[in-house]
């Protein structure tokens, strides 16, 4: 009682803003004394704040952003970039089109009903990043392992802008309603781009960022995990500045994407230490740590949550789990085979779809029983995507993109790329 906690910042304007919000008036000497004498804190695995002893590490994370605008979109040779796209037929955005990348270095636009090629865009390296739309669906964003974040016009694949981050981009972008594009890199950087390709902010998070971040329901915070296990590895970043609102240290590396509860109150991280962490979305406080068992060898699959609150996730040990995440109880486990890298997709009829070793599986959400399987060649790391016409789309390490009838499990069409397809397909918005 009588003690006010003021969020630490290395930015003078942040300190002053914090004081204004709290209606506290301090002179410059007092502000300087607060900033110099109060040690920053982090949230530990047990959910309790503790002294952050490595102040240099804190300054690297908190102080890595210049809050001033970071500059214009990078200059590019427009003629060279436009030559990257081969157009067979422009996309009619009212019809169903599938956008999917392949490790042959190409992004493909395919007719959803027939699988026929509309256009393809070529880069120098693998393309395992899943694409995302701008809010109006006119632009497709994705990353490439040559270090670029790419923005293409959806109708014909022409380059709107490209930004070279300097690090491979396997992370899939997340786009918020105002058009800001959030994407991470394998050289530890988290970026926010304006719709026209300017860097809004960037942040060094101290570990590789493999999969897409999540944006809070009110748009204030961006959640992301990183591939380190010796330091903090789960973050909530201010969407406007990139400043960490909170951070958390899970017991293992985080390869998968975070997911929010239906009400936005909780954020869940599935981790390589074989635990699912439930954190308060606004503070990062630990609510529950659900142990799936070391024999499952951790999780790289990103979880999904049903309307009823059941969390579904694949494990590196080859099983699919259904967890009552609010109570921390296992509902069921279905053993498949091999490592499950694919993330589940749920329909509204009570079924779950997920890729495994050479198979696409359809399971019942109630008990995990298998309805059908479809052979897809080699391992399936791609995650399935469902349209509203009863079809499921997925890629295979063997190279094809498949369209499968959800009722019968029969392959409707397949399109052969020249490399493994790890990315999840993106479906035009009116057909999702």
């Amino acid at each position: 009682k009588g003690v006010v906690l003021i969020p630490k910042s290395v930015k003078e304007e942040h300190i002053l803003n914090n004081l204004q919000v709290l209606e506290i008036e301090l002179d410059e000497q007092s502000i300087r004394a607060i900033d110099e004498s109060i040690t920053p804190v982090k949230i530990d695995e047990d959910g309790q704040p503790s002294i952050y002893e490595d102040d240099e590490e804190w300054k690297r994370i908190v102080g890595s952003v210049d809050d001033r605008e970071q500059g214009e979109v990078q200059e590019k040779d427009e003629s060279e970039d436009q030559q990257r796209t081969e157009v067979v037929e422009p996309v009619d955005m009212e019809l169903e089109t599938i956008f999917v990348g392949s490790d042959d270095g190409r992004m493909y636009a395919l007719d959803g009903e027939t699988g026929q090629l509309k256009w393809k865009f070529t880069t120098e390296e693998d393309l395992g990043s899943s694409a995302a739309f701008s809010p109006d669906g006119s632009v497709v964003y994705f990353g490439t392992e040559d270090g670029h974040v790419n923005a293409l016009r959806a109708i014909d694949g022409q380059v709107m802008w490209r930004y070279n981050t300097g690090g491979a981009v396997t992370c899939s972008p997340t786009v918020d309603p105002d058009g800001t594009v959030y994407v991470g890199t394998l050289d530890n950087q988290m970026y926010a781009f304006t719709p026209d390709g300017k860097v809004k902010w960037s942040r060094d998070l101290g570990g590789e960022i493999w999969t897409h971040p999540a944006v809070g329901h009110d748009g204030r915070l961006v959640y992301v995990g990183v591939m380190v296990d010796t330091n903090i590895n789960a973050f909530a970043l201010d969407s406007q500045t990139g400043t960490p609102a909170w951070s958390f240290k899970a017991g293992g590396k985080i390869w998968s994407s975070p997911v929010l509860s239906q009400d936005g109150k909780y954020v869940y991280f599935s981790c390589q230490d074989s635990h699912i962490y439930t954190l308060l979305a606004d503070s990062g406080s630990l609510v529950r740590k659900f142990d799936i068992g070391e024999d499952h060898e951790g999780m790289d699959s990103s979880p999904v949550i049903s309307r009823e609150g059941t969390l579904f996730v694949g494990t590196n040990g080859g099983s699919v789990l259904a967890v009552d995440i609010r109570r921390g109880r296992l509902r069921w486990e279905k053993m498949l085979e091999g490592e499950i890298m694919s993330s589940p997709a749920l329909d509204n009829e009570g079924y779950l779809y997920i890729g495994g070793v050479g198979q696409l599986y359809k399971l019942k959400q109630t008990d995990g029983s298998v309805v059908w399987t479809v052979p897809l060649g080699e391992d399936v790391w791609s995650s399935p995507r469902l349209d509203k016409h009863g079809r499921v789309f997925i890629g295979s390490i063997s190279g094809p993109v498949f369209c499968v009838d959800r009722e019968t499990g029969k392959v409707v069409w397949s399109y052969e790329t020249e490399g493994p397809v790890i990315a999840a397909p993106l479906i035009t918005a009116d057909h999702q």
Side-chain angles (χ1 to χ4, degrees):
K1 185 177 181 180
V3 176
V4 177
L5 296 179
I6 303 172
K8 180 180 173 68
S9 177
V10 295
K11 303 290 189 292
E12 179 181 355
E13 57 267 39
H14 289 177
I15 298 173
L16 294 175
N17 287 340
N18 291 333
L19 296 175
Q20 288 172 0
V21 169
L22 296 170
E23 298 183 351
I24 296 174
E25 293 186 5
L26 296 177
D27 57 28
E28 292 184 5
Q29 183 178 359
S30 298
I31 294 174
R32 187 163 53 252
I34 290 171
D35 197 42
E36 292 175 353
S37 62
I38 297 180
T39 305
V41 300
K42 67 180 178 70
I43 303 297
D44 264 340
E45 187 177 321
D46 60 3
Q48 300 299 315
S50 65
I51 298 299
Y52 197 88
E53 297 175 350
D54 187 353
D55 200 44
E56 289 303 314
E57 177 72 2
W58 175 271
K59 288 180 180 178
R60 178 189 61 75
I61 294 174
V62 179
S64 64
V65 172
D66 183 348
D67 282 340
R68 295 170 298 179
E69 187 174 17
Q70 293 203 7
E72 301 295 320
V73 60
Q74 293 177 345
E75 294 293 330
K76 60 182 177 64
D77 183 338
E78 292 190 6
S79 60
E80 179 183 340
D81 279 348
Q82 302 312 334
Q83 292 172 6
R84 297 176 179 276
T85 303
E86 177 186 336
V87 181
V88 176
E89 180 183 2
V91 169
D92 183 341
M93 295 304 291
E94 294 185 2
L95 302 179
E96 185 173 36
T97 303
I98 309 304
F99 301 87
V100 63
S102 169
D103 277 356
D104 65 6
R106 297 183 179 94
M107 173 61 66
Y108 294 88
L110 306 174
D111 185 290
E113 290 192 7
T114 66
Q116 292 182 337
L117 178 68
K118 296 292 187 177
W119 56 255
K120 60 183 176 181
F121 172 84
T122 302
T123 68
E124 281 76 17
E125 298 288 346
D126 294 354
L127 205 167
S129 169
S130 302
F133 282 126
S134 60
D136 65 0
S138 65
V139 180
V140 176
Y141 302 104
F142 58 94
T144 49
E145 292 193 29
D146 61 8
H148 285 88
V149 178
N150 305 271
L152 307 185
R153 198 160 56 196
I155 60 170
D156 57 10
Q158 295 302 310
V159 175
M160 304 297 289
W161 55 263
R162 301 182 79 213
Y163 185 92
N164 189 352
T165 67
V169 184
T170 63
C171 173
S172 303
T174 296
V175 183
D176 73 11
D178 73 2
T180 301
V181 181
Y182 303 98
V183 65
T185 71
L186 297 193
D187 66 347
N188 310 340
Q189 298 292 322
M190 182 71 189
Y191 285 88
F193 294 94
T194 62
D196 58 357
K198 295 177 182 177
V199 177
K200 192 172 181 179
W201 52 258
S202 65
R203 177 73 58 182
D204 185 340
L205 296 184
E208 297 176 345
I209 304 168
W210 278 84
T211 49
H212 66 83
V215 177
H217 289 187
D218 61 5
R220 291 187 309 108
L221 298 177
V222 180
Y223 305 93
V224 65
V226 300
M227 283 283 286
V228 295
D229 55 10
T230 57
N231 215 322
I232 50 179
N233 50 15
F235 296 87
L237 307 177
D238 184 290
S239 62
Q240 297 303 308
T241 66
T243 304
W246 55 256
S247 58
F248 178 86
K249 184 181 184 300
K253 298 176 181 179
I254 300 176
W255 194 91
S256 64
S257 300
V259 63
L260 289 153
S261 59
Q262 296 287 340
D263 59 7
K265 185 178 180 180
Y266 305 103
V267 59
Y268 306 98
F269 290 88
S270 56
C271 188
Q272 290 188 351
D273 71 343
S274 296
H275 289 87
I276 301 170
Y277 293 84
T278 302
L279 310 179
L280 287 177
D282 60 354
S283 67
S285 297
L286 180 67
V287 176
R288 181 176 297 106
K289 184 171 69 170
F290 182 77
D291 185 0
I292 69 169
E294 291 184 1
D295 57 323
H296 290 88
E297 302 176 13
M299 292 160 284
D300 289 334
S301 169
S302 298
V304 296
I305 298 180
S306 69
R307 294 174 181 175
E308 296 73 33
T310 300
L311 181 147
F312 300 92
V313 68
T315 75
N316 295 347
S319 63
V320 177
L321 306 179
V323 180
D324 182 344
I325 198 63
R326 284 179 285 197
R327 296 178 176 83
R329 298 175 182 172
L330 181 67
R331 288 186 181 274
W332 54 258
E333 176 177 5
K334 179 63 179 180
M335 193 65 195
L336 302 177
E337 58 178 291
E339 185 178 19
I340 306 295
M341 299 291 291
S342 177
S343 299
L346 309 179
D347 66 18
N348 295 323
E349 286 75 48
Y351 298 102
L352 174 153
Y353 305 82
I354 193 168
V357 177
Q359 303 284 335
L360 171 64
Y361 295 88
K362 179 179 180 179
L363 310 178
K364 291 183 179 179
Q365 294 181 28
T366 52
D367 59 11
S369 57
V370 176
V371 179
W372 52 247
T373 64
V374 180
L376 301 182
E378 299 179 36
D379 291 357
V380 179
W381 287 21
S382 174
S383 298
R385 293 292 182 263
L386 314 179
D387 71 6
K388 65 181 184 182
H389 310 296
R391 296 185 285 255
V392 53
F393 302 91
I394 194 167
S396 169
I397 294 292
S398 301
V401 179
F402 292 92
C403 172
V404 177
D405 184 282
R406 299 210 307 262
E407 180 67 26
T408 64
K410 294 183 178 179
V411 174
V412 179
W413 57 257
S414 65
Y415 181 89
E416 189 76 37
T417 75
E418 297 178 15
V421 178
I422 296 172
L426 174 67
I427 306 170
T428 41
D430 290 343
H431 298 271
Q432 293 180 14

